[in-house]
Amino acid sequence: MDESFLHNCLFFTTNRLSRAITKMAEEQFAPTGLTPMYGYLIRLVIGNPGIAQKELAEKLYITASTLTRFIDKLEGKQLVERKVQGKTVLVYPTEKGKQLEGAIRGASANFKKQYEALIGSEEAAQLSALQERISEKLEKQ
């Protein structure tokens, strides 16, 4: 059976890359007790205290309902808190959440060092830029 189509299929190759990158990121973020997505979410909240939930969802490229579940979980861990202002829900870091900032930044830096060591910093930067441009084109359709 000819399986060469798998190596020229954007769906297959993108998912393969995603699984490899996710595994690496999860390993680096494990010491924080958070998944990479939760870590990046908290990092955004710490950098933008009082950020609107809608804006957070847009920045993370996730649906509002997915973000609500993530924030529910982080509230349960007392890392963020929500405050309602009119029709807008604002998200703030708690003191406990702020204390994780160094560990989250460290995990993120270690993750970047790890993949750059494997593929090179120039290629990593080019790949990220290319994926960003392609994602924007595909999302416009």
Side-chain angles (χ1 to χ4, degrees):
M1 177 177 183
D2 180 22
E3 299 171 5
S4 63
F5 69 94
L6 294 174
H7 304 286
N8 298 311
C9 173
L10 191 57
F11 173 80
F12 181 77
T13 57
T14 301
N15 278 300
R16 181 179 176 195
L17 175 62
S18 178
R19 284 190 301 276
I21 286 292
T22 297
K23 182 178 183 226
M24 289 172 53
E26 287 174 345
E27 288 169 359
Q28 293 300 330
F29 275 80
T32 69
L34 301 168
T35 66
M37 183 60 90
Y38 286 127
Y40 289 124
L41 192 161
I42 290 174
R43 194 168 163 187
L44 282 172
V45 172
I46 290 170
N48 304 284
I51 188 169
Q53 231 177 262
K54 181 180 181 194
E55 186 179 351
L56 260 178
E58 290 168 0
K59 287 184 183 295
L60 294 168
Y61 298 98
I62 57 177
T63 64
S65 61
T66 298
L67 180 67
T68 297
R69 284 195 318 275
F70 287 173
I71 292 176
D72 286 346
K73 185 135 185 169
L74 291 174
E75 268 190 323
K77 292 180 179 223
Q78 300 175 331
L79 299 174
V80 299
E81 62 183 348
R82 285 181 268 214
K83 294 181 181 174
V84 178
Q85 190 176 68
K87 292 184 177 183
T88 306
V89 178
L90 306 176
V91 185
Y92 293 86
T94 63
E95 282 306 312
K96 186 176 174 184
K98 290 178 191 176
Q99 290 172 4
L100 282 175
E101 184 177 17
I104 291 167
R105 284 184 179 273
S108 183
N110 290 339
F111 170 53
K112 185 176 183 186
K113 279 184 210 166
Q114 183 183 14
Y115 68 72
E116 285 182 344
L118 293 168
I119 65 174
S121 57
E122 189 176 316
E123 218 170 4
Q126 289 172 354
L127 179 59
S128 290
L130 179 61
Q131 285 183 279
E132 186 73 19
R133 285 193 310 273
I134 291 171
S135 293
E136 286 175 10
K137 286 180 182 180
L138 294 175
E139 289 165 353
K140 286 181 182 175
Q141 82 176 109

